[in-house]
Amino acid sequence: MTINTSRRGFLKSAAAAGAVLVVGVRPDGALAASGSPSMLTPFVQIGSDGSVTAIVKHFEMGQGPSTGLTTLIAEEMGLTMDQIGYDFAPSNPQVYNNTLFGPMQGTGGSTAMANSFMQYRQAGAAAREMLLQAAAQAWGADASALTLQDGVISGAGHSAPLGEFVEAAAQLDAPADPPLKDPSEFRLIGNPDVRRLDSAAKGNGTAMFAMDIERPNQMIAMIARPEQQRATAVSVDASGAEGIKGFIDAQILPNAAGVAVFAETTWGAMQARDAISVEWDTSAAETRSSDEIEAEIRAALDAEPTYNVNGADVAAVRAAVDGADTVVEETFYFPLLAHAPMEPLNCTIEETADGGILLHDGCQFPTIPHGAIAEIFGIPFEKVQIKTVLAGGSFGRRATPQADYQVEAALAFSLTDRSRPVHLVWSREDDLRSGYYRPAFGHKVRVGLNADGSIVGWEHRVAGQSIMKGTPFEAFAIQNGVDHSSVEGTVDSPYQIPTAAFGLTDTEKATSTLWWRAVGHTHTAYVMEVMMDMAAKAAGIDPVDFRLAYLTGDGPDQTRKAGVLKLAAEKANWGNAPEVRSQGIAVHKSFNSYVAEVVEISGTPEDGIKIEKVTCAVDCGIAVNPDIIKAQMEGGIGYGIGHNMRDQITLTAGVVDQYNFPDYEPLRISDIGEIEVHIMPSAEAPTGVGEPGTPPAAPALANAIAAASDLRVASLPMDENGVSFV
Amino acid sequence: MAISLKLNGKDQTVEAEPGTPLLWVIRDELKMTGTKFGCGVASCGACTVHLNGEPVRSCQTYIEDVEGAEITTIEAMSENEIGAAVQQAWIELDVVQCGYCQSGQIMSAVGLLSENPKPSAQEIDDYMWGNACRCATYQRIRAGIQRASEILEA
Ligand code: FES
Ligand code: FES
């Protein structure tokens, strides 16, 4: 298996292979083949040499779509996984749009498999049918008597490799509705032995990440930035950098947001950036501190919310809570969080022979930088190309509505004569201090319980900085003023809570807010699941039984959520932890998947907590690649737990206090014990796995801590709020 | 200044200013991209290479201090018995996600197995602590090291 990540390579290999069959869809969504490739979204390309290449329209940040989408094609074409390769699709939103995002090509919201599952299977099935048809014609046989298996077409007394029929198949029309395999015939979908296609290259140093791109004669650019967001550069004195080996030039960016420092090498650029001096205009700069952000959010929680999200009769809900036998209440606070993907942000930009622009990028939302670059250089959209390469993680960071780092690269490049490609490189400090964060949020919840311990009223207020307002996503994300991403996971929870009111107040944006793995669910799941736990405790009812009482409906939302809750509890031996250990549980639906997690700890908050084990149950519909799903749960759990243990971004007078990993300590191997993942068997359509593992992890840990100690951690991170870890 | 060293078994002379981190000599000058930049301050392990057989953070190892030393990078790990076993285990268990930290993880894992052929889970945690993985592949790293140990024993 070869990983062919070069678009030129892809086109070349197509040419070298002689005849080629390309199958995909037309703009109207109908299946189509070779004939007019420009009108076609290719999903699979087959050469007469028998090579089969899946064209993957989602970028790879580790979540596995290159393996996943390739699996779908291989399944329908009866191939083994080593008979197929893949290539990343070029940037073309008309052709490779995310069917769940509208006319936009991008990866996010855990949608890669959900929006590709049928498309890629249909393309694979159409290719199979066309090859069988071509073979049937050649052999004078009936196509229904032939089969394609392991790259060989056989039947009616004949047998030949599929490559022999590519030329003839390419003359045929694609079938409108090719038969898809029945799930009982799946050999690859759902097979836990299917391996990742990128493991070998990522283990021997040959995988090419954006950081590894080296274009002929390229320069490195780093950006000198102001301490405070929205300060602007007035003048630069680069004399300090003269004499630094490889230093070329330092110039203020056209938007004055920083100073581009050009050098022959990365090390030269780093040293030169430190050596120049820049005068900044701070008159419009951010000056708030995170304490002020927190105070604003806490004040908003004490006031009547701006939006009544579920149109509740708030007075009636309040009366129900006030009149209850027991009232359980808590106020929560969630700080700013950075994404900190392992590969610092970077991309390479160059001019093409025809005066266009080519960007090499681990590109999450190609459509946004594509348009931004066309505008900066005043060239037509078609003259911009984006070559997507491997991304060393993202967690949402590579998809900003402003295309922040790609725009920076383009602006830096625009300062040059464009004769040399420019590779923009960020340091870890640039990354942690860039201003793009999971916004700070607060929740205040009051739950009324009657004498038998059931909920009679739930009043819930949310306050924080909207992510979607002021972005191109506003149109579909905001309804009646409510940014759904601020409240997702509360008002739409599958829990059947009677007499509930959900209110939202937007607070002022102090930083550039950005989705962060699981978006609003990063705080809403914590609040919902800690409140359920507190209510269960107050009611004297087991936390699993207490939750199940609100999942009694027979709708899929309730049965699937209850299903994973029971499965996780059973597998974790819920309630029977060894003497010295405590368990906590949480369950949450996000991105149409249902995940329950049990965290088992030892120790106490004073002497130090150790996370011994996490047991996870996930229902994400049909499990296409079970081992990748498990890996995503493991990673999602680590991401949720690590940040909530000890990370936060804070500001002092508008200046970010954190610089590098020592101030934003990543989860370490010693922080977390064994993780066991169980996948719920399902025949439902596949749903997301990249994000849904994250939301329940921290509340399950918080609930375990409460079980061990009576300490309720309602403000995060935990280690700043009374919990030590060993 | 000119520095002579042995890189992946080959004698090499590089031209670099004193104070230049080995990481940037490897990436910028020698154009070998398997060794990664993650933090630059010795706190993530993405840049781990072997210096005379011992894992070091190349971002905080200065070129003038490695005159005459033997440097080994991920690119040469398949030629090392332990390295090949770790790589095989990594593939068997699909340890990687984004993969960006994994060159460094493997270099450290080889360092561990070189001095301790059968590490316990606790010993793995203690040794591998400095190699961060933002994708949190830790449980598979632990299993991968134990699997490599088995492969080597066989
Ligand atoms: S780059 Fe050297 S330890 Fe992070
Ligand atoms: S695999 Fe992504 S950082 Fe380790």
Side-chain angles (χ1 to χ4, degrees):
Chain A
M1 145 75 218
T2 54
I3 298 182
N4 183 359
T5 52
S6 138
R7 176 157 177 267
R8 268 187 70 228
F10 152 55
L11 295 173
K12 259 201 323 229
S13 66
V20 76
L21 168 63
V22 179
V23 182
V25 291
R26 287 200 311 249
D28 63 4
L31 279 166
S34 307
S36 52
S38 63
M39 290 299 291
L40 180 74
T41 302
F43 291 139
V44 57
Q45 171 181 297
I46 305 147
S48 55
D49 59 356
S51 64
V52 182
T53 308
I55 315 297
V56 174
K57 68 174 179 170
H58 290 282
F59 95 132
E60 178 69 75
M61 52 184 156
Q63 84 284 32
S66 42
T67 304
L69 305 195
T70 304
T71 303
L72 302 177
I73 299 276
E75 179 69 81
E76 292 294 343
M77 289 187 66
L79 301 168
T80 61
M81 288 301 279
D82 53 14
Q83 292 174 322
I84 187 166
Y86 69 88
D87 199 345
F88 293 115
S91 167
N92 186 336
Q94 258 59 53
V95 167
Y96 286 108
N97 67 316
N98 181 319
T99 60
L100 302 178
F101 289 179
M104 181 170 305
Q105 181 180 353
T107 303
S110 297
T111 56
M113 185 54 77
N115 97 99
S116 308
F117 186 64
M118 292 308 283
Q119 281 187 332
Y120 279 74
R121 286 180 65 199
Q122 282 163 344
R128 178 228 304 141
E129 292 303 304
M130 294 166 78
L131 290 164
L132 292 179
Q133 192 62 45
Q137 282 169 10
W139 294 336
D142 187 346
S144 65
L146 306 181
T147 56
L148 171 55
Q149 196 63 48
D150 299 338
V152 176
I153 297 178
S154 52
H158 298 268
S159 176
L162 65 84
E164 285 187 17
F165 306 100
V166 165
E167 191 166 357
Q171 310 305 315
L172 301 173
D173 288 332
D177 205 5
L180 298 179
K181 271 194 175 178
D182 186 82
S184 65
E185 300 168 72
F186 287 161
R187 299 194 313 170
L188 301 175
I189 293 175
N191 183 341
D193 297 328
V194 168
R195 311 317 300 163
R196 289 184 73 106
L197 297 176
D198 52 2
S199 267
K202 287 176 173 178
N204 63 20
T206 59
M208 292 294 281
F209 294 86
M211 193 68 94
D212 305 327
I213 296 291
E214 165 106 19
R215 302 297 298 156
N217 200 28
Q218 76 175 19
M219 297 190 276
I220 301 292
M222 295 192 85
I223 308 295
R225 300 162 202 284
E227 289 273 88
Q228 293 145 294
Q229 278 206 307
R230 296 194 297 278
T232 51
V234 179
S235 67
V236 55
D237 173 4
S239 54
E242 305 299 341
I244 288 176
K245 190 181 170 203
F247 170 66
I248 298 171
D249 194 12
Q251 286 186 56
I252 295 174
L253 289 174
N255 64 1
V259 174
V261 179
F262 299 95
E264 299 294 342
T265 59
T266 320
W267 178 241
M270 285 179 172
Q271 285 180 295
R273 181 171 70 163
D274 286 345
I276 64 169
S277 54
V278 182
E279 186 191 336
W280 302 100
D281 174 355
T282 57
S283 54
E286 178 59 50
T287 56
R288 295 206 301 166
S289 295
S290 31
D291 289 348
E292 292 166 63
I293 297 170
E294 180 170 350
E296 185 194 354
I297 287 173
R298 289 191 186 271
L301 293 174
D302 288 334
E304 210 55 56
T306 310
Y307 304 107
N308 179 340
V309 179
N310 62 336
D313 179 345
V314 179
V317 172
R318 201 163 293 155
V321 174
D322 290 340
D325 287 279
T326 311
V327 178
V328 180
E329 58 179 297
E330 192 57 87
T331 302
F332 298 84
Y333 184 72
F334 301 88
L336 300 166
L337 289 175
H339 307 69
M342 198 75 211
E343 178 192 19
L345 298 182
N346 73 99
C347 59
T348 306
I349 189 164
E350 63 182 307
E351 194 168 58
T352 57
D354 66 352
I357 297 286
L358 171 59
L359 180 75
H360 308 258
D361 183 18
C363 197
Q364 183 160 2
F365 270 22
T367 305
I368 298 175
H370 195 136
I373 289 169
E375 200 177 306
I376 287 168
F377 293 99
I379 57 175
F381 197 82
E382 313 74 69
K383 291 194 91 171
V384 177
Q385 295 171 52
I386 297 178
K387 184 170 151 11
T388 295
V389 296
L390 290 175
S394 173
F395 315 115
R397 182 61 185 86
R398 290 175 202 270
T400 67
Q402 297 77 17
D404 66 326
Y405 68 96
Q406 297 99 337
V407 163
E408 232 175 37
L411 292 175
F413 189 55
S414 77
L415 294 168
T416 73
D417 66 4
R418 304 191 206 170
S419 62
R420 302 182 65 182
V422 168
H423 191 153
L424 172 83
V425 174
W426 282 29
S427 63
R428 180 60 56 198
E429 289 82 0
D430 291 322
D431 171 57
L432 288 180
R433 300 168 66 76
S434 76
Y436 281 85
Y437 304 121
R438 191 283 301 271
F441 264 89
H443 291 236
K444 182 173 189 173
V445 189
R446 297 173 70 235
V447 179
L449 300 171
N450 70 9
D452 72 4
S454 35
I455 298 173
V456 293
W458 181 293
E459 188 187 3
H460 194 141
R461 291 175 179 174
V462 183
Q465 305 163 254
S466 164
I467 294 173
M468 301 292 183
K469 285 187 178 174
T471 75
F473 299 94
E474 204 163 33
F476 84 87
I478 313 291
Q479 269 180 7
N480 302 322
V482 174
D483 177 345
H484 183 69
S485 78
S486 298
V487 295
E488 58 186 1
T490 57
V491 61
D492 54 355
S493 166
Y495 286 132
Q496 298 158 304
I497 297 169
T499 332
F502 294 92
L504 170 68
T505 302
D506 291 333
T507 57
E508 206 190 311
K509 290 194 187 197
T511 66
S512 307
T513 56
L514 187 64
W515 36 68
W516 183 101
R517 195 175 197 169
V519 199
H521 300 283
T522 60
H523 50 95
T524 61
Y526 192 96
V527 172
M528 294 301 289
E529 288 304 296
V530 168
M531 287 311 302
M532 286 305 257
D533 216 68
M534 291 173 70
K537 202 165 199 177
I541 299 173
D542 173 81
V544 173
D545 295 336
F546 186 83
R547 285 170 172 81
L548 288 173
Y550 300 93
L551 296 169
T552 55
D554 52 13
D557 241 11
Q558 284 77 39
T559 54
R560 294 178 75 181
K561 185 167 173 175
V564 292
L565 179 62
K566 286 189 273 194
L567 182 60
E570 177 203 320
K571 297 291 184 187
N573 204 7
W574 174 255
N576 299 304
E579 186 103 16
V580 292
R581 296 193 180 179
S582 305
Q583 292 177 321
I585 196 164
V587 56
H588 195 73
K589 175 194 180 188
S590 62
F591 308 96
N592 297 314
S593 292
Y594 304 78
V595 181
E597 288 161 13
V598 175
V599 171
E600 196 166 299
I601 60 170
S602 59
T604 61
E606 304 78 53
D607 300 337
I609 297 279
K610 173 137 182 65
I611 300 165
E612 303 282 357
K613 185 174 177 186
V614 182
T615 308
C616 167
V618 52
D619 178 350
C620 56
I622 294 171
V624 176
N625 299 118
D627 196 53
I628 290 179
I629 293 167
K630 288 186 177 178
Q632 285 306 297
M633 293 301 123
E634 292 158 13
I637 289 166
Y639 203 71
I641 283 184
H643 291 89
N644 286 293
M645 280 170 72
R646 57 180 171 232
D647 291 330
Q648 62 177 330
I649 292 291
T650 55
L651 305 169
T652 302
V655 179
V656 175
D657 296 318
Q658 290 71 26
Y659 284 85
N660 203 316
F661 281 143
D663 323 308
Y664 194 81
E665 184 58 37
L667 182 84
R668 302 281 178 176
I669 192 168
S670 49
D671 288 323
I672 189 160
E674 186 196 347
I675 302 175
E676 190 181 289
V677 180
H678 301 274
I679 301 174
M680 185 69 97
S682 172
E684 301 292 326
T687 49
V689 298
E691 295 167 276
T694 297
L701 172 58
N703 292 340
I705 292 169
S709 68
D710 286 331
L711 175 71
R712 280 288 169 192
V713 188
S715 292
L716 294 156
M718 292 174 175
D719 77 350
E720 294 281 320
N721 291 279
V723 184
S724 64
F725 292 92
V726 291
Chain B
M1 64 193 282
I3 308 274
S4 315
L5 43 81
K6 198 172 218 178
L7 181 72
N8 294 338
K10 277 209 311 249
D11 288 321
Q12 199 126 23
T13 303
V14 294
E15 214 15 84
E17 299 296 303
T20 306
L22 176 60
L23 168 66
W24 295 114
V25 174
I26 291 171
R27 289 188 61 91
D28 278 343
E29 307 293 338
L30 301 171
K31 313 286 184 201
M32 292 168 58
T33 55
T35 306
K36 302 300 186 198
F37 163 58
C39 70
V41 298
S43 99
C44 78
C47 65
T48 306
V49 300
H50 291 182
L51 173 66
N52 299 327
E54 298 259 345
V56 294
R57 309 293 183 232
S58 65
C59 68
Q60 290 290 318
T61 302
Y62 298 103
I63 192 68
E64 62 271 25
D65 297 332
V66 301
E67 170 76 48
E70 265 189 56
I71 309 291
T72 315
T73 68
I74 186 71
E75 283 87 350
M77 273 305 104
S78 62
E79 295 147 31
N80 168 311
E81 191 199 354
I82 298 175
V86 172
Q87 286 175 328
Q88 183 191 330
W90 251 236
I91 292 172
E92 279 180 25
L93 299 178
D94 273 349
V95 172
V96 308
Q97 289 189 28
C98 85
Y100 194 79
C101 73
Q102 299 291 347
S103 296
Q105 303 285 0
I106 289 174
M107 296 307 290
S108 289
V110 173
L112 167 59
L113 289 167
S114 306
E115 61 180 64
N116 180 354
K118 243 180 127 65
S120 67
Q122 183 64 48
E123 288 168 332
I124 293 173
D125 284 7
D126 291 346
Y127 194 93
M128 299 295 291
W129 184 89
N131 282 83
C133 173
R134 296 291 296 162
C135 300
T137 62
Y138 296 124
Q139 115 146 356
R140 292 183 190 225
I141 289 171
R142 225 180 266 131
I145 291 173
Q146 282 169 336
R147 175 71 192 122
S149 164
E150 273 170 34
I151 295 170
L152 288 163
E153 223 176 29

